[in-house]
């Protein structure tokens, strides 16, 4: 595990020489002392990124950058098992899910390598004009220096969502991972070294939000901030960026609804419901945590959910067969417990779960928890819990289901399940969310846009949209006639 920052292609000791503890959430034991970057380290990293951008990196072709991205993908794939185990140690998620995450990370680098090659042919496009005396072209140019601030729920994958398209576009960057899960992000520095990524293109500064994240978002030498995390932190970053009119994209929280109509296949519905809320311990911004079930089948769905939720194996992420690991930290554990206790005190109907598993004395473990008939006014229904807690309500007709789903300040994702294609289409079109799943929940593809409406953020990641995050648009218009323009000279 790395104990230094990665700046300008070198491993350097933090300016203040400080560290912060990293814990295994399954055992609560400290497993590492990570380097704590400060404002001076951010200054150093931004300076390195600026120097790289203004130097030869800006002149590279998409083909050049694609070769580097492909080499990074190969290196990540070569180290897949090692990185997955490190992710389990850092985050707590089950090993199969961690392997899945690293495989997706490899795929993200390969995908943006393909887009980088295509950028060479698409860098300049001609615009049709009504006046034949003029010719106009539009160029897409790299945004400059990007600051990346990423969350702890998918540590390496969330880094890839930002680092890969930025490299493809020709930007340079400073990556600041979550202080809860810094280990695999630091490994990206080793990957950069292995493929000989030019110094300064990728800089990695670990540290606390106040001492590293805030200086990055406020830095005048940063052209763009891309942030994934909570709404309050995102609002603070947006405010900081507004002072210097900085380009910003935000992927924030969610309180996503899952509508189950009365003609749905109940077995299929139960499987997707469980996956939609208990995958990754419910620590997923798009988790379908509000279940809206037609009253005609609600009792049967609840019975099956209770039965199947109690079968989910909970334990250390490295243990075979485990589907639910610990929450990421003591702070997150206590936050989720507080919501559960509030629900109990409020008299909400607890269908199952709501406590630590009896066989696990240590670690931040919680049983899959389901509350039924939760009022719309309840904080459990309205607020993002970010844990394995599902809230349900019933509805009578399509109109009521859509109203319940849309009654939220968030708008990241939503899902609908029915055997009627026309009803699915009507519902999907009516839902106010950036991502809508039909007869499923949570599938995510690198090729498709990711992002939300309302309090869920600004902008889109993944696909061509992710590449566009790191490109600026420039108009170049030329007067081609040999005759004077005529305003002054006749």
């Amino acid at each position: 595990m790395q104990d230094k920052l990665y700046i300008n292609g070198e491993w350097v000791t933090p300016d203040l020489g400080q560290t912060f503890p990293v814990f295994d959430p399954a055992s609560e034991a400290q497993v590492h002392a990570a380097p704590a970057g400060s404002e001076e380290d951010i200054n150093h990293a931004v300076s390195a990124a600026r120097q790289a951008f203004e130097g030869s990196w800006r002149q590279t072709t998409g083909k050049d950058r694609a070769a580097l991205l492909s080499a990074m993908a190969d290196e990540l794939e070569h180290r897949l098992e090692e990185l997955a185990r490190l992710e389990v140690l850092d985050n707590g998620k089950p090993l199969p899910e961690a392997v899945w995450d690293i495989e997706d990370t490899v795929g993200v680098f390969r995908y943006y390598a393909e887009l980088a090659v295509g950028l060479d042919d698409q860098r300049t496009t001609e615009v049709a004009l009504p006046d034949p005396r003029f010719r106009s072209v539009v160029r897409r140019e790299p945004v400059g220096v990007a600051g990346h601030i990423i969350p702890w729920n998918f540590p390496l994958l969330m880094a890839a969502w930002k680092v890969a398209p930025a490299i493809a576009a020709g930007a340079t960057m400073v990556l600041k991972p979550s202080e809860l899960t810094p280990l695999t992000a630091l490994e990206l520095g080793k990957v950069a070294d292995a493929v000989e990524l030019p110094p300064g293109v990728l800089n990695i500064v670990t540290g606390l939000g106040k001492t590293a994240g805030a200086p990055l978002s406020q830095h005048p030498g940063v052209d763009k901030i891309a942030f994934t995390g909570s709404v309050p932190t995102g609002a603070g970053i947006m405010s900081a960026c507004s002072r210097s009119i900085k380009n910003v994209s935000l992927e924030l929280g969610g309180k996503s609804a899952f509508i189950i109509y009365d003609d749905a296949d109940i077995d299929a519905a139960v499987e997707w419901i469980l996956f939609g809320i208990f995958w990754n311990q419910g620590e997923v911004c798009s988790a379908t945590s509000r279940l809206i079930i037609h009253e005609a089948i609600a009792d049967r769905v609840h019975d099956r959910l209770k039965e199947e939720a109690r079968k989910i194996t909970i334990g250390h992420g490295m243990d075979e067969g485990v589907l639910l690991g610990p929450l990421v930290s003591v702070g997150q554990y206590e936050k989720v417990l507080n919501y559960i206790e509030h629900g109990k005190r409020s008299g909400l109907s607890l269908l199952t779960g709501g406590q630590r598993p009896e066989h696990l004395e240590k670690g931040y473990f919680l049983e899959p928890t389901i509350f039924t008939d939760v009022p719309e006014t309840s904080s459990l229904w309205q607020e993002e819990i970010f844990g394995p807690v599902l809230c349900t309500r019933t509805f009578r007709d399509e109109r009521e289901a859509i109203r319940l789903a849309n009654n939220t300040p968030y708008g990241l994702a939503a899902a609908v399940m029915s055997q009627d294609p026309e009803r699915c289409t009507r519902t999907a079109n009516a839902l106010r969310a950036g991502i809508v799943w039909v007869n499923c929940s949570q599938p995510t593809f690198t090729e498709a846009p990711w992002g939300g409406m309302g309090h869920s953020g600004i902008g889109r990641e993944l696909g061509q949209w992710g590449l566009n995050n790191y490109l600026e648009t420039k108009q170049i218009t030329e007067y081609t006639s040999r005759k004077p323009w005529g305003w002054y000279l006749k």
Side-chain angles (χ1 to χ4, degrees):
M1 288 181 277
Q2 187 52 249
D3 59 359
K4 293 184 178 181
L5 309 175
Y6 187 70
I7 299 176
N8 203 29
E10 298 179 341
W11 294 101
V12 299
T13 301
D15 179 63
L16 299 178
Q18 296 179 345
T19 63
F20 61 93
V22 179
F23 296 94
D24 174 1
S27 67
E28 304 181 34
Q30 181 175 338
V31 294
H32 189 51
S38 64
E39 184 173 359
E40 186 56 36
D41 296 306
I42 292 293
N43 290 340
H44 184 194
V46 172
S47 177
R50 175 61 60 189
Q51 185 175 356
F53 179 71
E54 299 295 348
S56 59
W57 179 250
R58 192 175 183 180
Q59 307 306 321
T60 56
T61 66
K63 185 177 180 181
D64 295 332
R65 298 191 298 276
L68 288 165
L69 286 164
S70 294
M72 292 178 80
D74 291 343
E75 183 67 16
L76 289 163
E77 190 170 44
H78 176 70
R79 298 181 57 194
L80 192 149
E81 188 69 25
E82 170 199 349
L83 292 169
R85 289 177 178 274
L86 194 59
E87 207 80 299
V88 174
L89 179 68
D90 208 12
N91 171 273
K93 65 179 65 191
L95 181 61
E97 291 185 18
V99 169
W100 191 359
D101 289 354
I102 308 304
E103 289 173 343
D104 281 353
T105 298
V106 172
V108 169
F109 276 88
R110 295 209 192 285
Y111 174 77
Y112 282 105
E114 294 178 7
L115 290 196
V117 172
L119 195 57
D120 283 339
D121 295 329
Q122 302 164 10
R123 179 74 75 181
T124 303
T125 56
E126 190 154 352
V127 179
L129 298 178
D131 190 328
R133 295 173 298 171
F134 293 88
R135 177 177 179 268
S136 187
V137 297
V138 171
R139 277 181 56 81
R140 295 198 295 168
E141 298 185 348
V143 71
V145 176
H148 296 154
I149 303 175
I150 61 171
W152 43 259
N153 54 342
F154 297 92
L156 192 57
L157 182 57
M158 291 297 97
W161 280 24
K162 293 172 172 55
V163 170
I167 291 175
T172 59
M173 67 218 75
V174 179
L175 172 65
K176 192 277 176 191
S178 168
E179 58 264 36
L180 296 179
T181 54
L183 300 183
T184 51
L186 282 169
E187 294 301 307
L188 272 180
K190 295 180 182 179
V191 171
D193 278 347
V195 305
E196 299 182 351
L197 189 71
V201 172
L202 171 62
N203 305 274
I204 306 168
V205 179
T206 53
L208 307 183
K210 289 183 179 179
T211 54
L216 179 59
S217 63
Q218 297 166 8
H219 201 290
V222 172
D223 300 299
K224 184 209 173 47
I225 290 289
F227 170 77
T228 300
S230 70
V231 172
T233 303
I237 287 173
M238 188 174 180
S239 177
C241 290
S242 70
R243 299 184 194 115
S244 55
I245 319 298
K246 213 183 296 293
N247 184 320
V248 60
S249 55
L250 305 172
E251 203 274 90
L252 307 177
K255 192 68 179 178
S256 302
F258 197 163
I259 298 172
I260 308 293
Y261 284 108
D262 55 347
D263 65 340
D265 181 300
I266 289 181
D267 285 339
V270 167
E271 182 171 7
W272 282 113
I273 292 164
L274 294 175
F275 183 72
I277 183 59
F278 298 134
W279 167 55
N280 206 56
Q281 296 69 248
E283 296 171 328
V284 181
C285 55
S286 60
T288 36
S289 56
R290 291 185 300 140
L291 181 61
I292 301 169
I293 322 169
H294 193 281
E295 61 182 12
I297 62 169
D299 288 344
R300 283 184 288 160
V301 171
H302 285 149
D303 287 345
R304 290 281 287 111
L305 283 174
K306 181 178 180 179
E307 177 186 0
E308 297 303 324
R310 290 182 172 181
K311 294 178 183 178
I312 294 175
T313 306
I314 310 169
H316 195 292
M318 294 303 300
D319 292 344
E320 189 174 351
V322 164
L323 293 177
L324 199 73
L327 298 183
V328 72
S329 69
V330 63
Q332 187 63 20
Y333 178 69
E334 290 175 349
K335 173 191 170 185
V336 177
L337 268 181
N338 285 338
Y339 273 106
I340 292 172
E341 292 307 314
H342 175 72
K344 292 176 180 178
R345 290 194 305 271
S346 301
L348 300 185
S349 176
L350 180 63
L351 182 68
T352 189
Q355 61 188 8
R356 170 188 286 278
E358 293 182 359
H359 68 288
L360 295 167
E361 296 181 359
K362 280 200 169 186
Y364 310 125
F365 295 96
L366 279 175
E367 294 176 337
T369 300
I370 303 173
F371 286 98
T372 60
D373 303 316
V374 179
E376 285 186 81
T377 55
S378 171
S379 61
L380 276 75
W381 186 263
Q382 290 291 334
E383 298 173 14
E384 184 178 41
I385 298 173
F386 224 66
V389 181
L390 177 67
C391 297
T392 82
R393 281 186 63 79
T394 61
F395 70 93
R396 292 184 178 181
D397 57 35
E398 186 175 314
R399 184 176 179 180
E400 183 184 12
I402 293 168
R403 184 195 68 77
L404 285 168
N406 286 340
N407 184 23
T408 173
Y410 295 101
L412 181 55
V416 54
M417 181 164 278
S418 169
Q419 296 186 58
D420 181 342
E422 292 183 1
R423 179 157 62 179
C424 284
T425 298
R426 284 196 310 271
T427 302
N429 291 342
L431 289 168
R432 290 282 297 166
I435 304 151
V436 179
W437 293 296
V438 176
N439 291 326
C440 58
S441 177
Q442 306 307 313
T444 304
F445 298 96
T446 305
E447 297 79 4
W450 183 274
M453 305 175 183
H455 286 192
S456 291
I458 298 171
R460 295 294 183 269
E461 293 190 299
L462 298 183
Q464 182 67 50
W465 300 266
L467 182 65
N468 291 341
N469 273 334
Y470 301 98
L471 292 169
E472 293 282 16
T473 301
K474 175 191 285 185
Q475 175 205 148
I476 302 174
T477 298
E478 176 187 3
Y479 183 61
T480 60
S481 175
R482 296 193 175 192
K483 297 180 179 180
W485 165 234
W487 177 77
Y488 178 72
L489 297 173
K490 301 299 182 182

